[in-house]
Amino acid sequence: MDELRWFIRVAESRTVTEAAETLHLSQPALSRGLGRLEREVGAPLFDRVGRGLRLNANGQALLDGARRAVSAVDGARQSIGELADPDRGTVNLAFLNTMGPLVVPTLLSGYRPRRPNVQFRLRQGGTERIEQYLLDGLVDLLLISTPGSPGIIWQPLLREPLVLVVPTYHRLAGRSSVELAEVRDEPFVIFSRGFGMRPTTERLCAEAGFAPRIACEGEDGATLRGLIGAGCGVGLMGPGPAPLPDVVELPVSDPPCYRMIGLAWCDRFMPAAADAFRSFALAEAKPPGTWRPFTLALDAE
């Protein structure tokens, strides 16, 4: 690679002397390096004109490729340097759709002042989709409920309470809390299969002694809340980021309704920026705890 850099410098300089001075080399050392490069490519690269050198057709053919090769190596070195530097680089993070309004913004807003030059590249989706992102190496970390795929390491961060979401005119809307069995005969608006909230809802309903009768299923929490507000049914969800005019969120007293949210990764090389964010998240969350919107305080119970 040194010979390519020297070749480019000679090609761009007016004289060999000028190139040698710029490279901090003696002229004999520079000439020997150019000779090695010519032997490697199997052709002369310069025509000797007096005491100077001038690119010939072979040199012209090599110059563009040499510049691209040197640029690629320099770019790779920079990228490798960023991978080893926790204060630079990119954290590739995937998370469940339902964690977008509160959990992810809160974690990132707490972290970014500590390392403001770190960038976050975010992906979101259902459980199966984002687990595949991790297994395929497209992301470094997941924010997810208990994963279902082998080969994924998971540690809990926080316990998120789940609420029963009902329309504002629902018979239970004025209550301070409810038992889940009180809606056993009502239609449910629920997440599609492949989303972690689907088995969580089914499990909690089973603990309450019934199987949910599904009226609508979908992938987006805001859409599901809209359907509930329109009277399509009731649903179990995490707390919304802000009150909505058409729905009421009711705490559930029995059974205890919550889901564990954790950080997941695979046992492979992780860039320093992602490793530092992982350490931050695991240190800030002291499970078991309860999520407090817009703070990073997870008080042990």
Side-chain angles (χ1 to χ4, degrees):
M1 187 57 65
D2 284 342
E3 284 83 359
L4 282 180
R5 294 183 190 276
W6 300 350
F7 163 73
I8 294 169
R9 179 60 63 189
V10 172
E12 293 174 345
S13 300
R14 292 175 295 178
T15 66
V16 177
T17 301
E18 179 183 296
E21 290 176 353
T22 303
L23 293 166
H24 305 290
L25 292 170
S26 66
Q27 288 191 43
L30 179 55
S31 296
R32 288 193 297 272
L34 293 177
R36 288 193 297 270
L37 182 60
E38 288 179 327
R39 288 192 297 273
E40 186 173 343
V41 300
L45 302 173
F46 296 92
D47 291 331
R48 272 63 182 177
V49 180
R51 299 182 65 181
L53 297 177
R54 183 175 61 194
L55 277 180
N56 60 23
N58 298 325
Q60 292 288 354
L62 178 62
L63 184 57
D64 285 345
R67 285 172 172 158
R68 288 195 298 270
V70 169
S71 177
V73 170
D74 289 345
R77 284 178 174 169
Q78 180 179 353
S79 297
I80 291 170
E82 290 179 353
L83 291 175
D85 186 351
D87 291 316
R88 295 189 296 160
T90 301
V91 178
N92 291 283
L93 174 68
F95 53 90
L96 299 174
N97 288 330
T98 51
M99 297 178 188
L102 283 178
V103 177
V104 174
T106 303
L107 276 176
L108 268 59
S109 67
Y111 187 70
R112 282 190 52 76
R114 303 185 182 206
R115 301 188 190 272
N117 294 322
V118 171
Q119 297 180 347
F120 283 83
R121 184 176 296 123
L122 305 177
R123 294 171 180 256
Q124 63 191 81
T127 302
E128 293 179 3
R129 182 185 304 168
I130 65 173
E131 284 187 8
Q132 197 60 50
Y133 288 158
L134 180 64
L135 295 172
D136 290 344
L138 298 177
V139 298
D140 306 307
L141 296 164
L142 300 183
L143 281 168
I144 195 171
S145 299
T146 307
S149 299
I152 294 179
I153 302 166
W154 182 86
Q155 287 194 23
L157 291 181
L158 56 100
R159 187 172 68 188
E160 181 187 48
L162 301 178
V163 293
L164 182 69
V165 183
V166 301
T168 52
Y169 55 81
H170 192 273
R171 59 186 174 85
L172 300 175
R175 297 267 294 274
S176 58
S177 67
V178 297
E179 294 183 6
L180 192 56
E182 294 182 76
V183 291
R184 64 184 305 148
D185 297 323
E186 302 201 26
F188 267 70
V189 174
I190 194 170
F191 279 89
S192 302
R193 297 198 181 280
F195 287 75
M197 275 300 301
R198 175 64 171 259
T200 297
T201 298
E202 292 174 335
R203 174 180 58 80
L204 290 170
C205 289
E207 290 181 17
F210 69 98
R213 178 166 57 88
I214 298 172
C216 300
E217 57 183 271
E219 300 183 353
D220 177 70
T223 300
L224 297 184
R225 275 183 161 82
L227 291 170
I228 293 171
C232 295
V234 301
L236 272 179
M237 297 184 179
L244 295 176
D246 297 328
V247 299
V248 175
E249 297 182 352
L250 301 171
V252 181
S253 60
D254 184 62
C257 288
Y258 64 89
R259 65 171 174 173
M260 294 303 299
I261 294 174
L263 199 64
W265 62 90
C266 287
D267 185 14
R268 60 177 179 239
F269 170 78
M270 183 178 296
D275 187 43
F277 177 71
R278 174 178 60 180
S279 297
F280 163 81
L282 294 175
E284 287 296 325
K286 301 176 178 62
T290 300
W291 181 250
R292 303 291 179 84
F294 308 112
T295 76
L296 286 173
L298 304 174
D299 297 333
E301 296 183 350

